Amino acid sequence: MSAKVVPPENVQEFVDSVLDDVDVDDVQQTTSSIASAASVLNVANATEDYTVKARDQMVDILEQVQVLNVQQVKQVSGTLEHVTNKPEELSDDSQVKAADTLKTLGEVLTTKSSEVGTEELEGIAAHLVTGAINILEASSQTVNRERSETQLQDRTTDFEKNKLATITTFKTIDELSLTMISRKNRDEKPTLVKANEFLMSLARSSCDGLGARLIQTQEDTRAYFEIPENTTSKLCVNGSVGSQTYFTPRNPFEYANNADDVTTPVMGLSVLGERQKVLVSNLEKGERIESINPITQKKAIFVSSTATSPKSRQITLHNFNTTEPGVALYVRVIPDVTSDDVNVTLRVYLKRGDVVSPEDYSHDVTLTQAGVSTHPYTWFLNQAALNIRNEPEKWALGLQRIPTVQDKERTSESSVRYTISITASKCLFFDEPSSLWTDRGCEVGSQTTDGQLHCICDHLTAFAGFVAPNPLDLGRSFTFDLQRSLIALVTVCVVMALYIVAVFIGRSADVDDERERKKGTYRRQRRREYRIQQQREYKNVPQSTKGRRFLSEHLWISVVKPPKNHFTRVQRISCCLSLLMSFMLVNIIFYRGDRNFVPRLTGGGIQLEQLFSWDTFIIGLESSLIALPINVIIVVLFRYAGPRHDTSSSANGSTPMDKENYVIPQKGRPLDLPRYLPKGNGTEYTADPAAHIEKLKKHGGLCMCYIY
């Protein structure tokens, strides 16, 4: 039972006094003094700067101690475990020095191992492994912290010291594993070494009755290796197979440039022979080693939607991106079914690009309750089938519900709600020569789900995985993509440019019409009276007149030659634009920018699109019912709204030139003439109209008109 350490009132003064009295030539006094000081630092609330400095000094002292026997290894290893107990307080230099000290202790223990029994040997090795794990943890935390800081400051950092500490530490662990496993008997209970969250298991199995073997660090980790029977026979050394496995939730190789690719725990398997590791590589198919690694860091992202029957001629579309080359995909669908409708069958289509349809896809599958892989309604696509390239790619996945026969021969083909997730996975291993994570020689296995990663590799080393839940984009209909929507963008720009030009031209024509209307009101009045008289004489209006009236009242055609009323050309052009844009928007809603609704005819290896189908006819009718009403209202408001009055003329005391302000000749009333008339050649004006009246009478240009 370990006693509880009570820190003194002045921690800094206590630790300094202990370290000042250390004599490195006295191993027992040195280790006990440093162990007491380190225990105080582990429980006291001292400043970070001081604790880092104090641990640096302790590591320096332990590095100077000369270890000559197993008993001294035991003393120094226990003390070093206390000093490294808080990895976040170990500097880069301390990590390297502590790793070197561990290496020295491991070499002495290996050389003098015959002096102690198996149980004591394993106890000393456990202290050393615990100190080693503390160093690995310190290295990972330091790299993560410094990488985050350098990214914020837009600079690079050298992780060579962390790399050196990690490499040295793992070599020490391997040496200790070889020493311990050499003392184990065949089929003896595995030795489990646990430090923080790092687990290491050492086992020796006999080669008698060879078969497939499961090698596991600890059952509750849900991680294990499976060695095929053919491979097991090749790994036998002197009638037994020695193995070292470890499992750690934290990536111990954080110093790698692509360490961020690792999103699963790291697990390792090594085959141990006589005082050395057995090289396992280039295994043939049927000999490759498989592993199951739990996915703990990233969870699957689910979205909801509805699958409809093929009779609806619609398909539910999901879009996602793959950002890593050579990944496998795992699709999981969870239908929302009731007790009366449990036999739901779904058809899934997959294709590169933005769209997919039942007629145009690269991969498809039927999902049922029975499942096509390890779970119901799941679909696994391996890397060979997908052949995902180096650059990011877009994918489209579509779902439909397939009608099924329920109890009492009742066919169920109604829509069904569901949730779906798509997970991209890749198996990685750490390549020590390049100090990088790579997938060379590994592939994702069919037992992969959104909760575990199944890897099949032709070699042994440290394994991990890249697992990225792909967020699904259900709002693709209104997402702007320049490459995909270039034609639509150009169309809208051209339409808007034509509208602006048409507005300028129409406005100019409206001004001319207004001037003509103001100058020729009387003439139009006479023509109106004449037409009224014609209508009285001829009851049937000729068909050509009706045609001309249709052309003058048609919204689009009347832009060129509108009727003489206050519904101007600019207003008509604006109404045309509103109608056009409304129909374009409604078509986007129905078709979503793809061609899934366009029926095709296939024959002789050639695929043709039908020009007409009931689906397109119905969609056109629905589009008209949605877009026309609001545009009809806009046209009616313009057509029947009152004319715009000229407020500037009213302000000057004059009356606007409108039909309501003209004097209409009355019965028995002479027609009024202008007060000012041209004089002589028409360039001057006079207030005396007599001469001009006589001249107009002479040439027949003026008469005294009365209306009876």
Side-chain angles (χ1 to χ4, degrees):
M1 181 179 295
S2 58
K4 183 177 180 180
V5 178
V6 180
E9 294 183 1
N10 194 324
V11 175
Q12 183 172 342
E13 181 179 346
F14 170 77
V15 173
D16 289 341
S17 63
V18 170
L19 297 181
D20 289 340
D21 294 337
V22 167
D23 181 8
V24 294
D25 294 330
D26 187 343
V27 176
Q28 183 174 1
Q29 186 268 342
T30 298
T31 53
S32 61
S33 298
I34 292 180
S36 63
S39 299
V40 169
L41 285 180
N42 291 338
V43 298
N45 294 323
T47 62
E48 183 177 355
D49 291 340
Y50 176 75
T51 56
V52 171
K53 180 180 177 181
R55 292 184 193 277
D56 285 345
Q57 188 176 356
M58 295 177 189
V59 171
D60 288 339
I61 295 173
L62 290 177
E63 190 182 26
Q64 300 174 30
V65 175
Q66 290 187 350
V67 180
L68 302 176
N69 53 53
V70 174
Q71 187 62 30
Q72 291 177 341
V73 170
K74 183 177 181 180
Q75 294 171 346
V76 176
S77 62
T79 302
L80 187 62
E81 181 182 353
H82 285 290
V83 174
T84 60
N85 185 257
K86 286 197 172 182
E88 66 275 11
E89 296 177 359
L90 283 180
S91 66
D92 292 348
D93 290 332
S94 291
Q95 294 170 25
V96 175
K97 293 178 180 180
D100 289 338
T101 302
L102 278 177
K103 179 182 178 182
T104 301
L105 296 175
E107 292 173 349
V108 174
L109 180 63
T110 300
T111 304
K112 304 290 185 178
S113 60
S114 59
E115 299 178 5
V116 295
T118 301
E119 185 175 351
E120 185 177 4
L121 176 67
E122 291 182 352
I124 298 173
H127 285 295
L128 289 173
V129 172
T130 301
I133 301 310
N134 290 339
I135 296 172
L136 294 177
E137 181 76 11
S139 175
S140 297
Q141 291 186 15
T142 301
V143 171
N144 275 329
R145 182 172 60 252
E146 292 183 2
R147 180 176 284 127
S148 300
E149 294 175 354
T150 55
Q151 288 175 350
L152 292 176
Q153 300 173 9
D154 193 21
R155 61 184 179 87
T156 58
T157 299
D158 185 8
F159 299 126
E160 284 300 318
K161 291 182 179 180
N162 311 106
K163 176 181 177 180
L164 179 60
T166 302
I167 293 175
T168 304
T169 300
F170 266 110
K171 286 183 178 180
T172 302
I173 293 176
D174 291 342
E175 287 296 325
L176 292 172
S177 299
L178 288 169
T179 300
M180 287 189 286
I181 206 168
S182 64
R183 306 284 290 268
K184 295 190 70 65
N185 298 320
R186 299 177 186 176
D187 300 323
E188 184 182 344
K189 182 180 179 181
T191 299
L192 180 65
V193 179
K194 184 176 182 180
N196 297 329
E197 294 182 301
F198 186 97
L199 299 173
M200 185 177 72
S201 176
L202 300 172
R204 179 180 290 277
S205 304
S206 63
C207 296
D208 299 336
L210 291 176
R213 304 292 177 92
L214 289 180
I215 301 178
Q216 191 171 25
T217 303
Q218 195 171 18
E219 187 174 355
D220 57 7
T221 63
R222 299 182 292 115
Y224 61 86
F225 291 92
E226 182 175 358
I227 302 179
E229 181 177 350
N230 295 339
T231 307
T232 304
S233 60
K234 294 182 178 181
L235 302 180
C236 281
V237 178
N238 295 330
S240 64
V241 178
S243 63
Q244 173 209 48
T245 59
Y246 68 83
F247 175 87
T248 172
R250 181 181 289 275
N251 179 9
F253 307 102
E254 285 286 355
Y255 60 83
N257 290 335
N258 62 343
D260 291 339
D261 291 347
V262 177
T263 59
T264 67
V266 176
M267 52 192 297
L269 170 62
S270 299
V271 177
L272 306 179
E274 292 294 333
R275 302 304 307 165
Q276 65 180 358
K277 284 187 176 182
V278 178
L279 179 63
V280 180
S281 62
N282 300 322
L283 297 174
E284 301 293 335
K285 285 190 176 181
E287 300 177 346
R288 296 180 178 178
I289 297 173
E290 303 183 23
S291 64
I292 296 293
N293 197 345
I295 299 173
T296 58
Q297 295 187 25
K298 289 192 175 182
K299 301 299 182 181
I301 301 173
F302 284 88
V303 296
S304 300
S305 191
T306 302
T308 59
S309 170
K311 290 186 177 181
S312 66
R313 303 287 295 175
Q314 297 186 23
I315 183 172
T316 305
L317 182 66
H318 299 275
N319 291 103
F320 63 95
N321 297 329
T322 54
T323 58
E324 287 287 328
V327 297
L329 295 180
Y330 175 77
V331 180
R332 183 184 180 191
V333 183
I334 305 177
D336 184 10
V337 298
T338 62
S339 58
D340 298 331
D341 191 16
V342 294
N343 297 325
V344 173
T345 300
L346 300 173
R347 191 71 177 172
V348 186
Y349 305 93
L350 181 68
K351 184 188 173 186
R352 274 184 177 87
D354 293 324
V355 296
V356 67
S357 70
E359 295 81 19
D360 186 14
Y361 59 89
S362 58
H363 305 79
D364 69 313
V365 70
T366 299
L367 301 182
T368 63
Q369 179 67 31
V372 294
S373 58
T374 56
H375 296 85
Y377 299 107
T378 58
W379 186 19
F380 173 77
L381 297 102
N382 62 22
Q383 293 142 304
L386 294 172
N387 190 25
I388 295 178
R389 307 178 184 93
N390 291 332
E391 67 274 5
E393 292 184 317
K394 295 181 179 179
W395 291 81
L397 184 144
L399 281 88
Q400 280 185 333
R401 178 178 184 177
I402 304 301
T404 55
V405 178
Q406 306 290 346
D407 296 337
K408 300 180 181 179
E409 298 182 353
R410 179 175 60 88
T411 301
S412 176
E413 56 184 19
S414 59
S415 301
V416 60
R417 294 283 298 173
Y418 66 87
T419 56
I420 183 174
S421 70
I422 303 175
T423 305
S425 305
K426 181 162 60 173
C427 295
L428 303 174
F429 77 93
F430 186 72
D431 183 49
E432 294 183 4
S434 64
S435 298
L436 291 173
W437 289 93
T438 178
D439 63 342
R440 187 180 65 254
C442 291
E443 63 181 23
V444 182
S446 59
Q447 298 180 46
T448 295
T449 67
D450 51 9
Q452 68 180 26
L453 180 62
H454 177 208
C455 294
I456 306 174
C457 297
D458 64 358
H459 56 272
L460 288 178
T461 183
F463 297 94
F466 165 83
V467 180
N470 284 282
L472 306 180
D473 185 2
L474 301 182
R476 297 285 298 180
S477 299
F478 299 97
T479 300
F480 178 75
D481 186 342
L482 181 59
Q483 184 176 0
R484 176 187 174 192
S485 307
L486 182 60
I487 296 178
L489 175 63
V490 172
T491 301
V492 173
C493 292
V494 170
V495 170
M496 295 305 299
L498 292 176
Y499 168 72
I500 294 173
V501 173
V503 165
F504 279 104
I505 297 175
R507 179 56 184 164
S508 178
D510 287 338
V511 172
D512 293 340
D513 288 345
E514 184 69 14
R515 291 173 180 172
E516 182 182 351
R517 186 173 67 85
K518 292 180 178 180
K519 292 180 181 181
T521 302
Y522 176 68
R523 292 194 300 270
R524 289 198 299 273
Q525 177 66 24
R526 294 300 303 273
R527 288 197 298 270
R528 189 181 299 111
E529 294 176 357
Y530 176 76
R531 286 198 300 270
I532 293 174
Q533 185 176 0
Q534 273 193 327
Q535 290 175 2
R536 291 175 180 174
E537 295 177 359
Y538 302 98
K539 295 182 179 179
N540 297 325
V541 180
Q543 187 65 30
S544 59
T545 304
K546 293 182 178 179
R548 288 194 300 269
R549 180 174 178 80
F550 168 77
L551 293 178
S552 65
E553 295 295 336
H554 190 277
L555 178 62
W556 292 80
I557 300 177
S558 63
V559 170
V560 180
K561 187 65 175 177
K564 301 300 182 180
N565 55 37
H566 52 264
F567 191 10
T568 65
R569 281 186 172 88
V570 174
Q571 294 171 346
R572 293 171 187 270
I573 293 171
S574 299
C575 290
C576 292
L577 178 69
S578 173
L579 186 63
L580 178 62
M581 291 299 183
S582 299
F583 271 99
M584 290 175 63
L585 177 61
V586 173
N587 275 272
I588 289 175
I589 294 175
F590 278 103
Y591 289 100
R592 301 190 302 272
D594 58 49
R595 302 187 62 82
N596 289 342
F597 289 95
V598 180
R600 295 174 173 86
L601 296 176
T602 304
I606 300 176
Q607 195 175 65
L608 300 176
E609 295 182 356
Q610 298 184 34
L611 298 179
F612 174 82
S613 70
W614 281 110
D615 293 331
T616 54
F617 173 77
I618 294 299
I619 291 176
L621 180 61
E622 293 174 347
S623 300
S624 300
L625 293 176
I626 294 174
L628 279 180
I630 186 171
N631 286 278
V632 169
I633 294 174
I634 295 174
V635 172
V636 169
L637 291 176
F638 276 126
R639 188 182 295 276
Y640 292 100
R644 185 180 64 179
H645 295 284
D646 191 349
T647 56
S648 61
S649 299
S650 301
N652 295 331
S654 60
T655 303
M657 296 293 291
D658 203 350
K659 65 181 182 179
E660 298 176 359
N661 298 292
Y662 287 110
V663 177
I664 300 176
Q666 301 294 329
K667 183 177 180 180
R669 177 181 174 182
L671 182 65
D672 292 335
L673 296 175
R675 177 175 298 178
Y676 297 97
L677 293 175
K679 176 182 179 181
N681 57 9
T683 58
E684 299 181 10
Y685 288 79
T686 178
D688 184 9
H692 297 282
I693 291 175
E694 293 299 330
K695 184 177 180 179
L696 290 172
K697 286 181 179 180
K698 181 179 180 180
H699 294 283
L702 181 65
C703 66
M704 300 300 292
C705 300
Y706 294 86
I707 297 178
Y708 296 93

